[in-house]
Amino acid sequence: MNTRLRILNILFSFTVFLFSMYIAWLCNVKANFFYSFWYESLEISETIGKYSPNNKFKDGFELLSKKVHVDLFNGIVEAIHKKGEGLSQLEFENKKLDRKEKLLTKDEVIHLQDVANLIGFLKYVAYGCFLFGALILLFLYISKENLASIKYHIYGGIGVIALSVLVM
C-alpha cells in the first residue's frame, strides 16, 4: 500500500470514528442518556438527598420526586440541543417555600450555553466528517483503489482511542 493510500485510509478511519461518535451522542440524547436507569443504579436520589440541603441555590431540591428530577434533566438536555433556548426558564416547585424556583443559576446557564455552543459546532464537524469520508470513498472508487481491510481500520480506531486517552 502506497503512502497516499495509507493517508486516505487513516483519514477515512478518523472521519468514520468522529461521525460515529456524533451518532452515538444523538442516540444517547434520544434516550435522555438513560438518566432514569442511572438514577436508580447510581443511587442519585441519595446523593441529592445528601448534598442538596447544603446548596443555597436549590432549596428543597431534595424533596422532589424521581420523575421531576428526570424531567428537569431532560429539560436541560433538550435546551442544550436547541442552542441553549429555555435553560434560564427551567423551574421546579419548591415544596418548602410553596413557590417556583429557577433550576439553574446564572453561572450554570452560562456554562450550559457554552456546552450548547460546543454541541452545535460539533454537529457541523460531524457533517463535515461524513462529507469528507464520502469524498474519500468517491476518490478511491474513481481511482480504482481499494479501501484497506476492516482489520486495518479497527487497529486504526484503537490507535485513535489510545492516543485520545494518552492526551487526556
Side-chain angles (χ1 to χ4, degrees):
M1 183 182 304
N2 65 39
T3 304
R4 179 178 55 95
L5 191 54
R6 279 199 171 126
I7 291 171
L8 285 174
N9 274 283
I10 289 168
L11 288 173
F12 182 75
S13 285
F14 190 66
T15 60
V16 168
F17 176 74
L18 290 178
F19 185 70
S20 298
M21 293 294 289
Y22 184 70
I23 296 300
W25 176 268
L26 291 180
C27 290
N28 276 292
V29 166
K30 290 292 182 195
N32 200 30
F33 293 93
F34 301 97
Y35 185 72
S36 186
F37 168 78
W38 294 117
Y39 191 91
E40 296 293 331
S41 300
L42 300 175
E43 300 175 345
I44 291 174
S45 63
E46 285 80 8
T47 303
I48 291 171
K50 181 178 179 181
Y51 294 105
S52 184
N54 300 327
N55 186 335
K56 64 182 177 181
F57 300 109
K58 304 219 181 12
D59 189 33
F61 191 75
E62 71 278 5
L63 302 175
L64 301 175
S65 68
K66 172 189 173 183
K67 180 185 179 336
V68 174
H69 288 149
V70 170
D71 289 346
L72 290 170
F73 182 83
N74 187 56
I76 292 171
V77 171
E78 284 182 12
I80 64 172
H81 287 88
K82 292 179 182 174
K83 300 179 182 176
E85 294 173 21
L87 284 170
S88 58
Q89 286 77 37
L90 290 170
E91 297 179 328
F92 67 94
E93 187 70 39
N94 184 327
K95 293 181 181 183
K96 283 184 180 177
L97 302 175
D98 196 31
R99 68 176 188 212
K100 291 209 179 257
E101 300 273 343
K102 293 284 185 189
L103 174 65
L104 303 170
T105 65
K106 181 181 176 187
D107 290 337
E108 290 169 331
V109 170
I110 289 169
H111 166 69
L112 289 171
Q113 182 62 57
D114 289 341
V115 171
N117 294 341
L118 178 62
I119 290 169
F121 171 74
L122 292 177
K123 174 175 71 172
Y124 293 110
V125 170
Y127 293 159
C129 285
F130 179 81
L131 181 61
F132 191 57
L135 288 173
I136 290 171
L137 288 176
L138 180 63
F139 176 79
L140 291 173
Y141 177 76
I142 290 170
S143 63
K144 305 222 185 299
E145 300 274 3
N146 289 328
L147 197 58
S149 71
I150 190 72
K151 185 176 171 182
Y152 178 86
H153 290 284
I154 290 172
Y155 289 149
I158 291 169
V160 168
I161 292 168
L163 182 62
S164 299
V165 169
L166 288 175
V167 169
M168 290 182 187

